[in-house]
Amino acid sequence: MEHTIRTVRAGEWERVKELRLAGLGDPAAPVAFLDTYENAVARPDAYWRERARGNTDGDTATTFIAEGPDGGWAGTVTVRLELPGVDNAFGTPAGMPQTHLTGVFVRPEHRGTGLADALFRAAIDHSWSLDEPRVARVRLYVHERNDRARAFYRKLGFEPTGEALPLEADPSAFEHEMSLARPRR
């Protein structure tokens, strides 16, 4: 693999925006993201600047990207730290220190190359590297119709937890939680 996996820098908001819009424009977007292309493209530049800055602090969120030798971005994943007693993205507090992987996207021409594995290794290693707090598990949610993603997550060791949330836009559809427990040493 020729790509470098690294964290996003605060000033890279335009590239963050471009990659997010590419993900939201992908045919799989309706079962992969809780956002839409139309909503995202309408957001002002200030939103994207803050999104990039907020995902570089490492305290609450860290975004990893796969950068090619030509400088192009081929994929991304964001690690969000969730703490007990603090509301998470779903408005409920975590029961334990954990990370939540979101915003997973690999451009179609890079799928099947090992790039998603490398991004996830970086995100999981980052989760386990956090000392304060020590993270007990890594979790993510996957749409009930996103079989390709579910199979990929299982291959990495994620298991269904039985937790499911209805989608706000379509309460008849569900996002299912999968998690990976911290390895015992």
Side-chain angles (χ1 to χ4, degrees), residues 3-129:
H3 289 79
T4 300
I5 307 301
R6 67 169 179 84
T7 58
V8 168
R9 298 177 191 113
E12 296 177 317
W13 68 270
E14 290 173 300
R15 299 183 81 190
V16 167
K17 177 181 178 180
E18 188 281 325
L19 191 59
R20 178 68 172 182
L21 293 177
L24 291 169
D26 188 272
V31 296
F33 298 104
L34 298 177
D35 198 1
T36 66
Y37 180 87
E38 293 75 22
N39 286 341
V41 78
R43 291 189 177 107
D45 289 347
Y47 169 87
W48 296 103
R49 284 185 186 96
E50 179 57 28
R51 183 179 176 111
R53 190 198 60 72
N55 289 346
T56 61
D57 67 15
D59 290 337
T60 57
T62 303
T63 296
F64 290 89
I65 55 98
E67 185 174 48
D70 63 355
W73 289 9
T76 185
V77 62
T78 296
V79 181
R80 299 195 179 287
L81 179 62
E82 297 179 335
L83 301 172
V86 178
D87 284 355
N88 58 36
F90 298 108
T92 58
M96 67 188 89
Q98 62 188 12
T99 57
H100 183 168
L101 305 187
T102 65
V104 178
F105 175 67
V106 173
R107 293 184 192 272
E109 64 271 22
H110 295 283
R111 294 177 187 158
T113 66
L115 200 57
D117 290 299
L119 282 163
F120 265 75
R121 274 195 307 277
I124 292 166
D125 288 350
H126 172 75
S127 297
W128 300 151
S129 76

Side-chain angles (χ1 to χ4, degrees), residues 139-158:
R139 75 171 182 160
L140 52 81
Y141 280 86
V142 61
H143 191 286
E144 63 190 0
R145 293 191 319 260
N146 198 342
D147 295 331
R148 183 184 68 185
R150 186 178 299 103
F152 172 71
Y153 301 146
R154 278 186 171 281
K155 184 180 87 167
L156 294 173
F158 285 82

